[in-house]
Amino acid sequence: MPPRTRRRRSSQDTGRNEAAQLADRLQQAGYTKRDIARIIDRDPSLVSQFYSRNKGAAFVPALRQVLTAVETGGITDLPELAAIAARHTTRRTTASGTRARVRTKALLITPTGSGTGRVASQAIASGSARLRPLIAEAALRGLRLAFTVRLAKTAYVHPSGSRTDSPGIRRDVTQRADHTEERSYGSAQTGGFDATDFARRVDAAGGDVTAAVHQWLSETGRIRPEAQILHLEVRTWRPR
């Protein structure tokens, strides 16, 4: 019996929703699904669900405006497009009419204020968007914040264990066999950082958590300007 030929599905057969159609046009303009996720400040898996699960209706107005900005206004900068999308994104509501919480992966702040979020190289390259809700929630609750970064050893300005680099937490340095090093900045013992101030930094960076952390480390003379963050972890707690 001859093998059955597979019929290609036309665009009419797929019946893609408007969010998927707009995402297609943005991809034709040169943006990846990861770029689109960064623009709408969501996890890349949600963009894939525009196609597989018919999701994305809440982002249609934002995607329309972004597409207009790209095709008509000539705007290409991701943070600028993200700012446009944010102005036209309407949060879902629950049955009672209240604003629904944004579903995120592995991001949870307990009633005591303790929360942790981690991202690795792939997410870091797209701005560590998964960490933004954690930082925003910490800011709303008035929590403190600390973070750990991993970079190449040569990317740090100060030597390992230097009190100038991270006073009071010299023990929180991990050297790895691949010539990278993890260093922690802030802790419950040293007071950490004001999550509200850090959230402002993230907002100023267009929602790019990676850029906000890199800017702080560079501004304070801890890393070299060309340094690349390879791993990022954010921790929160309630101040005493």
Side-chain angles (χ1 to χ4, degrees):
M1 183 176 180
R4 182 179 299 176
T5 57
R6 180 177 294 176
R7 183 172 64 91
R8 290 190 176 183
R9 298 171 68 184
S10 67
S11 58
Q12 287 183 331
D13 290 332
T14 57
R16 288 177 175 170
N17 63 23
E18 189 172 0
Q21 293 173 29
L22 291 167
D24 280 340
R25 291 176 64 184
L26 283 170
Q27 289 175 82
Q28 291 166 10
Y31 296 91
T32 66
K33 288 183 180 179
R34 189 170 296 279
D35 291 332
I36 296 169
R38 183 173 169 186
I39 289 169
I40 63 174
D41 192 25
R42 293 297 185 270
D43 192 274
S45 64
L46 177 61
V47 179
S48 296
Q49 290 175 26
F50 291 177
Y51 302 87
S52 63
R53 298 189 181 180
N54 203 36
K55 291 190 176 182
F59 299 99
V60 166
L63 291 170
R64 285 177 186 159
Q65 294 297 324
V66 168
L67 190 62
T68 299
V70 170
E71 294 181 341
T72 306
I75 298 173
T76 59
D77 185 62
L78 287 184
E80 192 170 352
L81 293 174
I84 293 171
R87 293 195 295 268
H88 296 88
T89 300
T90 303
R91 288 275 297 273
R92 295 177 299 108
T93 58
T94 63
S96 62
T98 59
R99 292 177 69 184
R101 292 177 64 87
V102 175
R103 289 187 288 268
T104 57
K105 287 185 177 179
L107 293 178
L108 175 66
I109 297 181
T110 68
T112 62
S114 175
T116 303
R118 302 179 184 88
V119 290
S121 57
Q122 191 172 11
I124 285 170
S126 63
S128 306
R130 286 177 52 195
L131 295 179
R132 191 180 185 186
L134 177 68
I135 296 170
E137 182 72 14
L140 286 173
R141 297 195 191 188
L143 305 180
R144 305 297 291 179
L145 178 149
F147 59 90
T148 296
V149 294
R150 182 193 303 167
L151 294 86
K153 290 181 181 179
T154 55
Y156 293 100
V157 172
H158 303 289
S160 176
S162 167
R163 294 187 67 84
T164 303
D165 182 64
S166 190
I169 52 174
R170 298 173 65 181
R171 65 186 180 280
D172 290 336
V173 174
T174 303
Q175 296 184 351
R176 298 187 174 275
D178 60 356
H179 304 292
T180 62
E181 190 169 283
E182 289 184 7
R183 298 190 187 183
S184 294
Y185 297 93
S187 69
Q189 289 72 33
T190 61
F193 305 98
D194 181 357
T196 302
D197 177 64
F198 212 83
R200 291 195 194 102
R201 283 181 169 272
V202 172
D203 291 342
D208 191 322
V209 179
T210 308
V213 171
H214 190 285
Q215 184 177 18
W216 182 86
L217 290 167
S218 184
E219 283 179 355
T220 55
R222 287 171 165 83
I223 65 171
R224 306 186 191 285
E226 69 278 8
Q228 290 188 335
I229 296 175
L230 306 175
H231 170 93
L232 177 60
E233 174 183 304
V234 173
R235 302 176 300 283
T236 67
W237 67 92
R238 190 175 304 283
R240 295 178 179 177

